Amino acid sequence: MTRALPWLILLLGILQPLSGALAPVFGIGTPIGDASANTQAPEQPLPAFFSIWGLIFLAYAGFGLAGILRPAAWFPKVGWPMFAAGLGNIVWMVSAQLIVSQPLDFLLLAPIFGGAWIASARVQALRASDSGLTLKAADAACGLLAGWISVATAISIPLTIRTFTGLAPTDFPWPMFWTTFATACLASWLFSTQISRSLWFFAALGWGLLGIVLNNWLRTEMHLLAGMAALGTATILLLRVTRPPKRFKSPP
């Protein structure tokens, strides 16, 4: 199984976008995102910003391909949590299209989140001993996934709250927005202080938060909220750039 792992990672890089295409391409189930489309919810990014999944899938497949062409002894340490995250993502996408249960979808984010963060911690621990192409591919794949899944988790909290309370997407916009933004800020702090200093994580996180800024500026027209989101996003990214590098303990 260890020898087959890079091939499995490559396969997951192909299967994930195919799994997400069940409804829009094959007409099976409900397209992902229909529940939040055109809702004017202040914590949602513009739909175009979900295109980052294409880059994540490409990086995922690139990590598997790098492991095939340039094998590394450490590959299973990073590969297995990424395998778990990719498999979890397929389950999440199938569930989101066929079952359409927001509370279940929220719970299914956990293995994706955990796998991506564990893999990122292990990549960070390897930086001192390896700087090759395979490690760079691993950094891109797990960093992008960890950053975006942190945004996805943050924006899923208000969706889940509304499921249990019956609130409309435009009810209590400021509390819902701050719930999302505070979660994203906490994730960025925990990641940068306890997990990794990967720029890929902050690129994906910043991309998602920028989507929230533009959603509120262009669609909801809550310009004050958009300004607060822009200020918060700029602060997160500035702190990442200006803070000195941190020494991390080796993960298990």
Side-chain angles (χ1 to χ4, degrees), residues 16 49-63 78 82 85 89 112-113 115-117 119-121 123 127 135-153 191 195-208:
Q16 287 179 86
F49 281 75
F50 289 90
S51 63
I52 193 175
W53 276 117
L55 182 59
I56 292 172
F57 297 146
L58 184 63
Y60 214 102
F63 173 43
V78 179
M82 285 297 284
N89 198 28
I112 312 170
F113 188 102
W117 277 50
S120 295
V123 167
R127 294 186 196 279
L135 189 70
K136 287 182 170 62
D139 185 24
C142 62
L144 284 170
L145 182 58
W148 182 253
I149 208 65
S150 297
V151 174
T153 301
F191 192 89
I195 303 297
S196 173
R197 294 278 293 172
S198 174
L199 286 172
W200 291 108
F201 174 90
F202 285 89
L205 186 85
W207 175 257

Side-chain angles (χ1 to χ4, degrees), residues 83-93 108-109 111-112:
F83 175 80
L87 195 60
N89 198 28
I90 289 175
V91 172
W92 181 89
M93 286 188 286
L108 289 176
L109 289 173
I112 312 170

Side-chain angles (χ1 to χ4, degrees), residues 31-140:
I32 297 172
D34 268 16
S36 58
N38 301 315
T39 62
Q40 300 295 312
E43 74 283 350
Q44 292 292 315
L46 284 175
F49 281 75
F50 289 90
S51 63
I52 193 175
W53 276 117
L55 182 59
I56 292 172
F57 297 146
L58 184 63
Y60 214 102
F63 173 43
L65 186 60
I68 295 168
L69 299 178
R70 297 191 179 183
W74 53 260
F75 193 94
K77 291 188 68 175
V78 179
W80 284 120
M82 285 297 284
F83 175 80
L87 195 60
N89 198 28
I90 289 175
V91 172
W92 181 89
M93 286 188 286
V94 171
S95 172
Q97 293 169 96
L98 301 184
I99 301 176
V100 197
S101 169
Q102 176 56 39
L104 177 60
D105 291 344
F106 182 71
L107 291 176
L108 289 176
L109 289 173
I112 312 170
F113 188 102
W117 277 50
I118 290 170
S120 295
R122 294 179 176 180
V123 167
Q124 179 65 38
L126 290 164
R127 294 186 196 279
S129 58
D130 193 334
S131 59
L133 176 63
T134 305
L135 189 70
K136 287 182 170 62
D139 185 24

Side-chain angles (χ1 to χ4, degrees), residues 180-251:
T180 296
F181 209 83
T183 302
C185 289
L186 177 61
S188 68
W189 177 76
L190 287 173
F191 192 89
S192 63
T193 59
Q194 305 298 323
I195 303 297
S196 173
R197 294 278 293 172
S198 174
L199 286 172
W200 291 108
F201 174 90
F202 285 89
L205 186 85
W207 175 257
L209 296 181
L210 177 61
I212 294 174
V213 172
L214 293 179
N215 178 57
N216 286 289
W217 189 266
L218 299 175
R219 295 181 71 190
T220 71
E221 297 186 353
M222 298 180 187
H223 294 158
L224 178 58
L225 193 149
M228 293 297 294
L231 179 61
T233 302
T235 301
I236 291 172
L237 298 181
L238 182 64
L239 288 174
R240 166 58 185 86
V241 172
T242 58
R243 287 182 62 190
K246 177 180 173 60
R247 292 183 179 273
F248 294 88
K249 296 179 181 179
S250 297

Side-chain angles (χ1 to χ4, degrees), residues 144-167:
L144 284 170
L145 182 58
W148 182 253
I149 208 65
S150 297
V151 174
T153 301
I155 65 179
S156 292
I157 293 175
L159 290 175
T160 306
I161 291 173
R162 293 188 188 104
T163 299
F164 290 110
T165 61
L167 292 171

